Amino acid sequence: MFHFPRAYLDRRSLTPIGSVQPPHPAVVVGEIIRLRSFRASRRLCVTQCTITDGTVPLNVVWFNQPYVARSLAKGVRVILSGNVSDRRGVHMQNPDVEVLSGETREFLHTMGLIPIYPLTEGLGQKKIRRLVHAALDDFLDRLEETLPDSLIQGRGLLSRGQALRGIHFPRTHDEIEKARERIAFEELLALQLCLRSATSSQAGTGIAHGAEPTLTRAFRSHLPFTLTDAQERAIAGIFRRMESSRQMNVLLQGDVGSGKTVVSACAMLKAVENGRQAVLMAPTEILAEQHLSSLGELLRGVNVETVLLSGRCPSSERRRATTLMASGRPALVVGTHALIESSVTIPNASLVVIDEQHRFGVNQRAALRQKGVNPDLIVMTATPIPRTLALALYGDFEVVTIDTCPPERHPVETRHIPDAGRNRMYRLLRETLSTGRQAFVVCPEIGERSDSGAGAAARVTETRTEYAKAFPDCRIGVLHGRLCAEEREKALTRFRNNDFDILVATTLIEVGIDIPNASVMVIESADRFGLAQLHQLRGRVGRSVHKSHCFLVAEPSTPEAIRRIELMTTVNDGFALAEHDMYLRGPGEFLGTAQSGIPPLRVAHLVKDFALLEQARETATAILDADPQLMLPENRPLRALLGDRMRQNVDL
């Protein structure tokens, strides 16, 4: 019953046989006046019949469908739906057929709005239609309602049974829309209830960070640059929320290079100056290491203890980190998934910052937040999130957006370089390097699941050899996941110190790398990268006053890849690219691991149903404000709707 159609065939109009027009499809009714079945060859079985409705005869043929002849007989009236051909005379080829009997019946295949289902091997459309129809007849009356009566009546929704009947076997297009609206609203309401309960179950009195701003003031006075107005607004908004006794939930987003790291550093220092600990969790070890390094640069002149915890930490460093966290001493803690291990305790954490939030699921965010006592939360992303998804995934978060970049940042000129244009790209690159600038060359992951694999390392080595031949006078370094942490840091440090002219790397440099002297980004096999990843890589250059270039070396062969390259060469705004990316990939794939722990969407579409999503959010808010645990009798259907998933998230 919940295997929904993906489309419908409109077979509501009967056509007299004398009026059928090839090559258009038609629905006709007639009496069989001739029927024969024979085997034309060892592999070809043919069934032929002629029908008439009193106007003219129509020849019909089925190939390799011997069961058709067994269900038909001369003198039987049938209804046929299919394409009409005029090859070798007007006829119907392989139409759907149903026998007309004296009793009233529902036509599943030939007459009306016919559902088209997603299929799997061994199951055809007719089989699924029959199974669905039987399931509805046998079980629909026993199906429990999942929405309160007051909500159904107040919104003018169909009942659950009406919606299921209407979406499978509708009589009109309006019935399809009403059925779809009911099911989509139910899905979106479940999504919002689940997400809000996962975080709201902890919400309540937070920690009011009201101490004298000694550290944050010192930090800002030592910054070697002036904060943008957008950064100032973001910091002021976050500080205002942190100073409140109400627990803070903030989604901090901004385009590449907009300065989110400084904003989050200010927030973390505010926690520390209040005698607390601030925790930053990153999805990868190299990104966590880069955050620690960046914080070290920003915190020069400010006396704050920092510590790193990741899977690769030596045992001595791990002991130091876990001891410091357990002691509760004011500090900045940076780490990976290792932070949410059961053995790690951070009882004095008053602020949790999660970077690259789209790589973490709902439950992972909640698990880290459990480490402290009602800590404030900032989820941070360098991949701008379309408004629709922000509302879907962060319905109870306040969105803080850094919508401008520092004035010294200039748009990066982006060009598509086909293989035939490689020599011209080399000339442009050589001219740029001759002025003292530096370049990144990024290789895709091919045949490996991550850029820590041997295949990715080999690809980097091969590419370095190619560039060494093209640029014999240049110093070329490499960076990939097979290098140990010390070697990776050394490679980045040498590139930052201008010991290398070119750094050939995997996507390890995608985020967190800030080397202002690098003004060229070459992305090899760019058609293998997603739109968001291409934009992130492009954001590694253009971080100074120098004119910067991004070269997309690719021979795209699919429409999707061609469109991605076109968008990259014409659009620089990360938020606009995010909208395009969601349309290209669809919301499900765009969400990635962020879907973990939330109900699936079978009918609702996060782009097309944005208005419905807003209504579902408002409804979920009102329901949970009045009944946080859904214990009132009228909300019992909602507990059945959410089931175990709801209870698991409430426990979190």
Short mmCIF file of all heavy atoms in Angstrom, two decimals, residues 538-562:
data_model
loop_
_atom_site.label_atom_id
_atom_site.label_comp_id
_atom_site.label_asym_id
_atom_site.label_seq_id
_atom_site.Cartn_x
_atom_site.Cartn_y
_atom_site.Cartn_z
N ARG A 538 37.44 25.81 -5.39
CA ARG A 538 37.69 27.14 -5.95
C ARG A 538 37.93 28.17 -4.84
O ARG A 538 38.70 29.12 -5.01
CB ARG A 538 36.52 27.56 -6.83
CG ARG A 538 36.65 28.97 -7.39
CD ARG A 538 35.62 29.25 -8.45
NE ARG A 538 34.24 29.17 -7.96
CZ ARG A 538 33.18 29.34 -8.73
NH1 ARG A 538 33.31 29.56 -10.03
NH2 ARG A 538 31.96 29.26 -8.22
N GLY A 539 37.29 27.97 -3.71
CA GLY A 539 37.43 28.90 -2.60
C GLY A 539 38.78 28.88 -1.93
O GLY A 539 39.06 29.72 -1.06
N ARG A 540 39.66 27.94 -2.33
CA ARG A 540 41.02 27.94 -1.75
C ARG A 540 41.89 29.04 -2.37
O ARG A 540 42.97 29.32 -1.84
CB ARG A 540 41.70 26.58 -1.98
CG ARG A 540 41.06 25.39 -1.31
CD ARG A 540 40.75 25.63 0.13
NE ARG A 540 39.35 25.97 0.35
CZ ARG A 540 38.89 26.67 1.37
NH1 ARG A 540 39.71 27.17 2.26
NH2 ARG A 540 37.61 26.93 1.49
N VAL A 541 41.44 29.64 -3.47
CA VAL A 541 42.18 30.76 -4.06
C VAL A 541 41.27 31.99 -4.05
O VAL A 541 40.10 31.92 -3.69
CB VAL A 541 42.66 30.44 -5.49
CG1 VAL A 541 43.62 29.26 -5.49
CG2 VAL A 541 41.48 30.15 -6.42
N GLY A 542 41.85 33.13 -4.44
CA GLY A 542 41.08 34.37 -4.38
C GLY A 542 40.99 34.90 -2.97
O GLY A 542 40.06 35.64 -2.62
N ARG A 543 41.95 34.55 -2.13
CA ARG A 543 41.91 34.93 -0.71
C ARG A 543 42.82 36.12 -0.42
O ARG A 543 43.26 36.31 0.72
CB ARG A 543 42.28 33.73 0.15
CG ARG A 543 41.46 32.49 -0.18
CD ARG A 543 41.83 31.29 0.65
NE ARG A 543 41.30 31.35 2.00
CZ ARG A 543 40.09 30.93 2.35
NH1 ARG A 543 39.28 30.42 1.44
NH2 ARG A 543 39.68 31.01 3.59
N SER A 544 43.14 36.91 -1.47
CA SER A 544 43.99 38.10 -1.29
C SER A 544 43.64 39.10 -2.38
O SER A 544 42.66 38.93 -3.10
CB SER A 544 45.47 37.70 -1.37
OG SER A 544 45.79 37.29 -2.69
N VAL A 545 44.47 40.12 -2.52
CA VAL A 545 44.22 41.15 -3.53
C VAL A 545 44.62 40.69 -4.93
O VAL A 545 44.32 41.36 -5.91
CB VAL A 545 44.97 42.46 -3.18
CG1 VAL A 545 44.45 43.02 -1.87
CG2 VAL A 545 46.48 42.21 -3.09
N HIS A 546 45.31 39.56 -5.03
CA HIS A 546 45.80 39.10 -6.33
C HIS A 546 44.67 38.52 -7.17
O HIS A 546 43.79 37.82 -6.65
CB HIS A 546 46.89 38.03 -6.14
CG HIS A 546 48.01 38.47 -5.24
ND1 HIS A 546 48.79 39.56 -5.52
CD2 HIS A 546 48.46 37.95 -4.06
CE1 HIS A 546 49.69 39.71 -4.56
NE2 HIS A 546 49.51 38.74 -3.66
N LYS A 547 44.68 38.77 -8.47
CA LYS A 547 43.71 38.19 -9.38
C LYS A 547 43.90 36.67 -9.40
O LYS A 547 45.02 36.18 -9.49
CB LYS A 547 43.89 38.76 -10.79
CG LYS A 547 42.85 38.25 -11.79
CD LYS A 547 43.01 38.93 -13.13
CE LYS A 547 42.03 38.38 -14.16
NZ LYS A 547 40.63 38.53 -13.74
N SER A 548 42.80 35.95 -9.30
CA SER A 548 42.90 34.50 -9.17
C SER A 548 42.11 33.80 -10.26
O SER A 548 41.16 34.35 -10.83
CB SER A 548 42.38 34.06 -7.79
OG SER A 548 43.18 34.58 -6.76
N HIS A 549 42.56 32.56 -10.56
CA HIS A 549 41.96 31.78 -11.64
C HIS A 549 41.65 30.37 -11.13
O HIS A 549 42.38 29.81 -10.30
CB HIS A 549 42.91 31.67 -12.83
CG HIS A 549 43.31 32.99 -13.40
ND1 HIS A 549 42.60 33.64 -14.39
CD2 HIS A 549 44.36 33.80 -13.10
CE1 HIS A 549 43.19 34.78 -14.69
NE2 HIS A 549 44.26 34.91 -13.93
N CYS A 550 40.60 29.79 -11.68
CA CYS A 550 40.28 28.38 -11.45
C CYS A 550 40.08 27.73 -12.81
O CYS A 550 39.26 28.17 -13.61
CB CYS A 550 39.01 28.24 -10.60
SG CYS A 550 38.48 26.52 -10.34
N PHE A 551 40.87 26.69 -13.09
CA PHE A 551 40.80 25.98 -14.36
C PHE A 551 40.15 24.61 -14.13
O PHE A 551 40.67 23.80 -13.35
CB PHE A 551 42.19 25.81 -14.97
CG PHE A 551 42.88 27.11 -15.28
CD1 PHE A 551 44.10 27.42 -14.69
CD2 PHE A 551 42.31 28.02 -16.16
CE1 PHE A 551 44.74 28.61 -14.98
CE2 PHE A 551 42.94 29.23 -16.45
CZ PHE A 551 44.16 29.53 -15.86
N LEU A 552 39.04 24.37 -14.82
CA LEU A 552 38.33 23.09 -14.72
C LEU A 552 38.72 22.24 -15.91
O LEU A 552 38.20 22.41 -17.02
CB LEU A 552 36.82 23.32 -14.69
CG LEU A 552 36.31 24.31 -13.64
CD1 LEU A 552 34.80 24.53 -13.81
CD2 LEU A 552 36.62 23.83 -12.23
N VAL A 553 39.65 21.33 -15.72
CA VAL A 553 40.14 20.47 -16.80
C VAL A 553 39.21 19.28 -16.90
O VAL A 553 39.12 18.44 -16.00
CB VAL A 553 41.58 20.01 -16.52
CG1 VAL A 553 42.10 19.19 -17.71
CG2 VAL A 553 42.50 21.19 -16.26
N ALA A 554 38.46 19.21 -18.00
CA ALA A 554 37.44 18.15 -18.09
C ALA A 554 36.96 17.97 -19.51
O ALA A 554 37.00 18.89 -20.33
CB ALA A 554 36.25 18.51 -17.19
N GLU A 555 36.49 16.74 -19.79
CA GLU A 555 35.77 16.41 -21.01
C GLU A 555 34.43 15.84 -20.59
O GLU A 555 34.20 14.63 -20.66
CB GLU A 555 36.57 15.40 -21.85
CG GLU A 555 37.86 15.93 -22.44
CD GLU A 555 37.62 16.90 -23.60
OE1 GLU A 555 36.47 16.97 -24.08
OE2 GLU A 555 38.57 17.57 -24.02
N PRO A 556 33.50 16.67 -20.11
CA PRO A 556 32.23 16.15 -19.59
C PRO A 556 31.43 15.44 -20.66
O PRO A 556 31.31 15.93 -21.79
CB PRO A 556 31.51 17.41 -19.08
CG PRO A 556 32.12 18.53 -19.86
CD PRO A 556 33.55 18.14 -20.11
N SER A 557 30.87 14.29 -20.31
CA SER A 557 30.16 13.48 -21.30
C SER A 557 28.68 13.30 -20.99
O SER A 557 27.93 12.81 -21.84
CB SER A 557 30.81 12.09 -21.40
OG SER A 557 30.82 11.45 -20.14
N THR A 558 28.24 13.67 -19.80
CA THR A 558 26.83 13.53 -19.45
C THR A 558 26.20 14.92 -19.33
O THR A 558 26.90 15.90 -19.04
CB THR A 558 26.66 12.80 -18.11
OG1 THR A 558 27.21 13.62 -17.05
CG2 THR A 558 27.37 11.45 -18.13
N PRO A 559 24.88 15.02 -19.53
CA PRO A 559 24.23 16.34 -19.40
C PRO A 559 24.44 16.96 -18.03
O PRO A 559 24.61 18.17 -17.91
CB PRO A 559 22.74 16.02 -19.65
CG PRO A 559 22.75 14.75 -20.46
CD PRO A 559 23.93 13.98 -19.99
N GLU A 560 24.43 16.12 -16.97
CA GLU A 560 24.61 16.65 -15.62
C GLU A 560 26.00 17.24 -15.44
O GLU A 560 26.17 18.32 -14.87
CB GLU A 560 24.39 15.54 -14.58
CG GLU A 560 22.96 15.02 -14.51
CD GLU A 560 22.65 14.02 -15.62
OE1 GLU A 560 23.58 13.62 -16.35
OE2 GLU A 560 21.47 13.63 -15.73
N ALA A 561 27.03 16.53 -15.93
CA ALA A 561 28.40 17.03 -15.81
C ALA A 561 28.59 18.31 -16.62
O ALA A 561 29.25 19.25 -16.17
CB ALA A 561 29.39 15.95 -16.26
N ILE A 562 28.03 18.35 -17.82
CA ILE A 562 28.13 19.55 -18.65
C ILE A 562 27.48 20.73 -17.93
O ILE A 562 28.03 21.85 -17.92
CB ILE A 562 27.45 19.31 -20.02
CG1 ILE A 562 28.26 18.28 -20.82
CG2 ILE A 562 27.32 20.61 -20.80
CD1 ILE A 562 27.55 17.80 -22.07
#
